[in-house]
Amino acid sequence: MAAIDAVLDAAGVKNSRVRDFVRQWAEHTGAARVEVVNASDDARLIAEAVEAGELLPAGEGRYYSRSHPKDTARSEERTVVATNNESDKGVYNNWKPASEMRPMLTERMKGASAGKTMYVVPYVMAPPGSPLQPYATGVELTDTRTVVLHMIRMARVGVEHVNELADPDYFVRGVHVTGDLDNLGQGTPDDQRYFVTIADERTILHYGSSYGGNALLGKIAHGLRQATYDGWASGKFLAEQFLLLGITDKQTGRTYHVCGGMPSASGKTNLAMILSPDALGDRYQVHFYGDDIAWLWVDPEDGRVYAINPEFGAFGVAKDTNEATNPTAVEAIAEGTGTIFTNVAYNEQTQDVWWEGRTKTPPADATGWRDWKGELISERSEAEKDAPWAHPNSRFTTTLANIPNIAPDYTNPKGVPVDAIIFGGRTRDREPLIRAITDLAEGVYDGLTLGAEATFAAEGTEGVLRYDPMSMRPFMAYSEGAYAAHWLKIIGAAKDQPIFAHVNWFQRGEDGRFLWPGYRDNLRPLLWLMQLRNGEVTGRQTPVGIVPTKEELQLEGMDDLRADDLETILSIDTHRWRQEMGHREEHLKLFPGMPEEIWEAHRRVAAGLEAEQG
Ligand code: GTP
Ligand code: MN
Ligand code: MN
């Protein structure tokens, strides 16, 4: 006890509630020592991690880590939202009573950090001075050094964030205990892992993983699950799995901001990082604000919706990142950026890294290369020969400041005014390139019926979407009906409402090829959307929204785009859509308390489709 106090004194931790929290859990988990972390400790912690073999050098100022092979992704089945009120139970939030979860996790964590260091990571998930900052402060306790190094990149970390709180007790308490990863029965009926957010007690208890979304408590557990709950409970804001970008028209000097949700692995990071296509580069400039989380609130002064990116870094999918698909990311993870790679392939002789899609084919000379599990490529058996070198969910972690087209005002405490909210699924048919929606309830309805194709049998039936409302399915913290009502209330309070749109980069031809080249060309439908909002184009009204005519899209430089493909991605397959409406109805019926405005929007769209010819 005395030793812990001495550490907290030396680190300048003055908040007595934080001190109590640290003392309690240090004793309970049996950690051998306590260390308080500031962002300025990064270089020393990196050196220690390299010395200990937790990180391997990957060229100048870059690092490589492998997670445990049983611990490579978020686990949705083991993730729980607990509260003291059963009415918080939703369809997707895996609700459990707090009275059951707190003792269970406390028991699992007892003595589980014995012999280890417990790092105290005070952080804030907001630009400094933000009106939402009170909801953004937290302290993560973790027994894993690489988790600390990731937190320093993904959140603003330092003791100063917890010392001067208006209410010293109002911070999120996060406890991360890794446990014995060899023996947790991951994925078996005897799985020991538990990732619990006790939302109404603002406490996060995660046990049994040291990987990304399971272990960086500031990011997903606080930045999304806790924040979406706080935003609703306070009645003040929305917290969404959204990207946020800015488009400046150099001809008019106007800047537009677009935010929106796409399910995991459906292109948020890629879209957030796009550059203008070459042919439009003289006129339009795109700026990055955020690639995974946005918090939205309405400023009563001007009646506009504002969005902040609460994060400090990007945790992006490595697969297919290359100079053609995402040159911005390539630069953001170059030497000298402090980037940490996780679960890509690594060459122990040259310290090089590689992943599928980095180059067309793997390095010709396999000497020194090991796959994400650490096995030498040259010693692979015949059966393993074609296995990917990198894990499909391998990632890079870099700070926002490394992103070359980061917006000049990305730390604006207020955030930026939102012109459009988009939803993007991954759909091989039915969904056109873009369809715009001007009605609030229809826009929210569209977000609630967002989905991505079922990719394998376990996830659903062929042709039926895996619905992922607003791309928040894995992060829902309260009931979906209340969530929809909260959306209508927050955005409905804006005098100047953003336009909504649904986008799809993934339509395929019968031969399986993508009909739209995607990536930086995705700016073109967004430009059309801004023109529609400005009244400069009118588009074509359909029962599911307004779609562009082909003359309205700025297609300069797209000489390879086939006229018939363009036709397809700008048209509505009425027959297919009527089918979809039946699935949507089943989906919406799952959610008790869905506001009548949402049902009315559903019926309007359905009636419009019925009235169509064909
Ligand atoms: P999380 O970080 O897990 O939330 O996912 P994300 O939404 O950020 O996904 P990300 O941007 O990393 O994209 C995932 C995959 O989609 C990658 O394999 C990309 O190459 C691919 N992708 C992104 N944009 C496009 C596009 O415009 N067209 C095509 N065909 N593929 C794309
Ligand atoms: Mn991403
Ligand atoms: Mn995400």
Side-chain angles (χ1 to χ4, degrees):
M1 175 93 82
I4 296 172
D5 273 323
V7 170
L8 295 172
D9 285 342
V13 179
K14 299 198 181 74
N15 182 327
S16 67
R17 303 307 179 95
V18 172
R19 294 175 69 109
D20 292 345
F21 169 61
V22 172
R23 222 184 274 115
Q24 176 203 339
W25 284 96
E27 283 165 9
H28 183 75
T29 60
R33 64 199 82 78
V34 168
E35 187 180 323
V36 180
V37 177
N38 287 286
S40 56
D41 295 319
D42 190 58
R44 175 181 55 81
L45 291 167
I46 288 270
E48 288 175 17
V50 171
E51 172 74 30
E54 295 155 4
L55 288 184
L56 300 168
E60 181 57 36
R62 299 202 305 183
Y63 309 94
Y64 174 61
S65 83
R66 268 184 206 110
S67 70
H68 192 284
K70 292 182 193 167
D71 186 28
T72 56
R74 271 188 297 110
S75 165
E76 293 182 15
E77 324 77 73
R78 305 302 301 169
T79 300
V80 166
V81 172
T83 67
N84 295 280
N85 189 346
E86 194 166 357
S87 67
D88 292 336
K89 186 181 170 89
V91 175
Y92 294 137
N93 69 351
N94 273 338
W95 183 87
K96 297 253 170 38
S99 59
E100 183 186 316
M101 285 293 114
R102 189 184 270 278
M104 181 191 287
L105 270 289
T106 304
E107 180 53 36
R108 259 163 230 225
M109 290 178 172
K110 191 172 179 185
S113 303
K116 292 185 166 184
T117 299
M118 192 180 85
Y119 297 94
V120 178
V121 186
Y123 65 84
V124 62
M125 296 297 293
S130 166
L132 297 178
Q133 187 164 343
Y135 303 100
T137 307
V139 177
E140 172 166 357
L141 309 178
T142 174
D143 59 8
T144 298
R145 185 160 33 206
T146 47
V147 170
V148 177
L149 291 167
H150 279 83
M151 276 296 287
I152 289 175
R153 283 157 183 71
M154 296 306 296
R156 293 169 171 87
V157 168
V159 172
E160 72 274 18
H161 300 307
V162 293
N163 272 347
E164 309 283 330
L165 300 182
D167 175 355
D169 200 35
Y170 202 74
F171 63 93
V172 170
R173 290 157 164 82
V175 186
H176 167 246
V177 171
T178 299
D180 176 7
L181 296 176
D182 282 329
N183 295 300
L184 294 172
Q186 293 95 330
T188 72
D190 188 34
D191 203 323
Q192 299 295 301
R193 301 172 299 163
Y194 254 115
F195 310 114
V196 181
T197 298
I198 308 175
D200 56 354
E201 297 178 9
R202 305 190 85 230
T203 297
I204 299 165
L205 303 174
H206 280 206
Y207 173 76
S209 166
S210 64
Y211 184 82
N214 299 326
L216 310 179
L217 304 188
K219 181 179 169 55
I220 279 170
H222 180 169
L224 285 171
R225 270 181 220 109
Q226 182 67 52
T228 198
Y229 191 89
D230 288 344
W232 170 62
S234 67
K236 288 200 174 129
F237 65 103
L238 299 167
E240 305 295 326
Q241 187 188 208
F242 275 11
L243 68 100
L244 177 60
L245 59 81
I247 304 169
T248 298
D249 180 344
K250 290 184 256 182
Q251 213 166 76
T252 62
R254 283 195 62 178
T255 295
Y256 304 95
H257 300 100
V258 178
C259 69
M262 299 169 172
S264 271
S266 298
K268 286 183 302 298
T269 298
N270 276 274
L271 184 63
M273 291 188 175
I274 56 168
L275 300 173
S276 186
D278 287 335
L280 301 178
D282 286 343
R283 175 153 179 200
Y284 300 103
Q285 182 163 16
V286 188
H287 281 124
F288 177 99
Y289 285 91
D291 73 325
D292 202 50
I293 306 179
W295 292 4
L296 278 62
W297 61 288
V298 174
D299 183 351
E301 301 231 323
D302 63 3
R304 298 205 66 180
V305 178
Y306 283 82
I308 60 164
N309 171 13
E311 303 198 84
F312 189 64
F315 182 60
V317 173
K319 186 171 189 301
D320 288 333
T321 303
N322 61 51
E323 285 78 1
T325 58
N326 195 343
T328 315
V330 171
E331 217 177 300
I333 62 180
E335 292 201 359
T337 54
T339 299
I340 301 175
F341 296 94
T342 306
N343 293 345
V344 299
Y346 178 73
N347 190 310
E348 59 191 3
Q349 290 170 12
T350 60
Q351 304 184 347
D352 214 354
V353 285
W354 189 84
W355 50 86
E356 275 64 30
R358 175 71 193 85
T359 49
K360 272 211 175 67
T361 49
D365 180 4
T367 313
W369 282 101
R370 288 180 186 271
D371 67 14
W372 67 275
K373 291 181 182 161
E375 280 161 25
L376 273 173
I377 300 291
S378 58
E379 288 177 9
R380 280 181 151 187
S381 66
E382 196 56 28
E384 296 168 305
K385 186 167 86 2
D386 295 324
W389 289 23
H391 190 281
N393 190 36
S394 58
R395 300 256 171 175
F396 55 77
T397 310
T398 189
T399 54
L400 299 184
N402 286 322
I403 296 171
N405 65 333
I406 185 78
D409 57 344
Y410 82 103
T411 57
N412 190 336
K414 193 171 173 178
V416 290
V418 173
D419 295 282
I421 299 176
I422 64 173
F423 300 110
R426 185 185 259 278
T427 321
R428 68 173 55 230
D429 62 8
R430 188 176 57 80
E431 279 295 357
L433 179 64
I434 185 166
R435 49 184 177 87
I437 299 163
T438 51
D439 176 75
L440 170 64
E442 280 176 33
V444 173
Y445 162 72
D446 190 73
L448 295 170
T449 50
L450 172 63
E453 257 160 25
T455 43
F456 42 88
E459 284 193 353
T461 330
E462 185 67 20
V464 180
L465 297 182
R466 179 183 192 261
Y467 290 107
D468 188 342
M470 308 271 183
S471 73
M472 284 291 281
R473 179 172 169 147
F475 315 112
M476 279 291 180
Y478 57 104
S479 86
E480 289 78 4
Y483 174 79
H486 185 52
W487 255 89
L488 293 172
K489 175 183 138 180
I490 292 287
I491 306 298
K495 283 202 288 287
D496 184 8
Q497 279 188 9
I499 192 166
F500 287 86
H502 196 108
V503 298
N504 181 26
W505 323 138
F506 298 96
Q507 238 195 90
R508 291 178 190 256
E510 265 158 24
D511 50 359
R513 100 205 119 82
F514 289 111
L515 299 185
W516 175 253
Y519 298 104
R520 54 207 293 188
D521 289 315
N522 296 337
L523 181 65
R524 303 172 192 265
L526 299 185
L527 292 174
W528 173 84
L529 185 64
M530 294 306 107
Q531 290 184 303
L532 182 72
R533 181 163 154 82
N534 288 343
E536 295 158 23
V537 295
T538 53
R540 182 171 67 83
Q541 184 72 54
T542 79
V544 294
I546 305 167
V547 297
T549 65
K550 53 182 186 294
E551 296 75 26
E552 287 171 348
L553 283 173
Q554 300 184 54
L555 298 174
E556 295 88 331
M558 294 191 77
D559 303 333
D560 295 338
L561 183 66
R562 283 168 43 176
D564 55 334
D565 289 350
L566 182 61
E567 195 82 37
T568 307
I569 61 178
L570 296 182
S571 58
I572 302 297
D573 179 346
T574 308
H575 173 73
R576 185 72 188 74
W577 266 98
R578 286 184 190 139
Q579 253 181 345
E580 168 61 14
M581 293 310 282
H583 299 312
R584 284 184 169 194
E585 187 148 339
E586 293 306 306
H587 164 67
L588 283 183
K589 274 189 190 155
L590 295 174
F591 310 124
M594 192 49 73
E596 189 51 31
E597 291 101 302
I598 299 298
W599 279 113
E600 281 165 11
H602 173 74
R603 288 193 289 266
R604 271 200 303 280
V605 174
L609 285 163
E610 288 310 320
E612 284 285 284
Q613 300 297 318

